[in-house]
Amino acid sequence: MTITRHALMASLALIMAAGGFGAPAWAQDASGFRPEALNGVCTDVRTGNSQRYEAKVLAAAGVSPEDSPEVMRSKVRALFDQHRPYCEGFDVRRGSLLKYAVNHGTSAFIYSAINVWNIDLNQVDVSDGQTVLDYLNAAIGRNAGNPGRRSLYESYHAELVRGGAKTRAELEAEGRRFPGIPIPAQ
């Protein structure tokens, strides 16, 4: 599946034509982000509504139609780095949007996160102390008796590793530290 610049810009144009998300201009933070544009994004990810979640992510990141693909990626990555969008309503309290997509089997979102937006795949959630790869490893173990779900999680695992995802232990072995984030019980 390839998401083209045209498709991304068409989503953004749809938002702009509809008057955005009703956020006043002052709602942008100092970085130009509009995090409130992400309202409802978890529902869109859960239901697989790629047009809506892509449009919301681009609007929240402050992407404009004249932005190059490189600038778009940079803005979206910065949005995820600074605001760390999260969702409730699954097995991780305040879990990352990426973990939520994994949990709900939203392959298109995972593909976009890795290949289109190039977000940091190695963020650690404060609530569980884990990266998305740690989360997937646990999910694979929990689904040993469910070959279909296990296979899906294994395919996500392989794609995320190709995209640079690591476990918290791997990151810590490389010297990365996560102050204030508790180490999960094993």
Side-chain angles (χ1 to χ4, degrees):
M1 175 182 149
T2 301
I3 299 173
T4 64
R5 174 176 159 74
H6 176 73
L8 292 172
M9 291 302 108
S11 297
L12 186 58
L14 179 65
I15 291 171
M16 292 176 167
F21 289 100
W26 53 263
Q28 288 187 337
D29 65 16
S31 63
F33 296 139
R34 291 183 41 222
E36 75 286 346
L38 291 171
N39 289 343
V41 74
C42 297
T43 299
D44 298 329
V45 168
R46 180 176 37 79
T47 60
N49 191 337
S50 60
Q51 227 177 4
R52 288 184 57 97
Y53 67 66
E54 287 171 5
K56 288 178 181 182
V57 166
L58 295 175
V63 175
S64 65
E66 56 274 351
D67 287 341
S68 69
E70 294 77 23
V71 169
M72 179 267 305
R73 272 192 292 281
S74 174
K75 287 180 176 182
V76 172
R77 183 179 175 115
L79 170 75
F80 275 79
D81 287 349
Q82 292 178 31
H83 290 280
R84 295 184 174 234
Y86 68 88
C87 297
E88 300 282 357
F90 72 120
D91 57 346
V92 179
R93 186 180 174 279
R94 293 179 61 115
S96 74
L97 195 50
L98 188 55
K99 285 180 189 172
Y100 190 76
V102 164
N103 180 272
H104 289 286
T106 312
S107 302
F109 183 89
I110 297 164
Y111 176 89
S112 291
I114 298 168
N115 300 299
V116 178
W117 302 325
N118 193 32
I119 68 168
D120 179 4
L121 304 175
N122 295 312
Q123 291 184 350
V124 173
D125 284 340
V126 172
S127 59
D128 68 356
Q130 297 182 335
T131 67
V132 68
L133 207 56
D134 292 316
Y135 178 78
L136 265 168
N137 287 337
I140 289 167
R142 282 192 310 270
N143 285 279
N146 183 344
R149 197 68 168 166
R150 182 181 174 104
S151 176
L152 177 66
Y153 288 152
E154 287 171 344
S155 71
Y156 291 163
H157 187 281
E159 185 69 21
L160 284 159
V161 168
R162 276 192 296 279
K166 298 178 181 182
T167 65
R168 180 175 178 169
E170 290 172 317
L171 295 169
E172 288 176 339
E174 294 173 355
R176 191 159 165 194
R177 298 291 171 244
F178 304 96
I181 300 178
I183 297 172
Q186 298 295 330

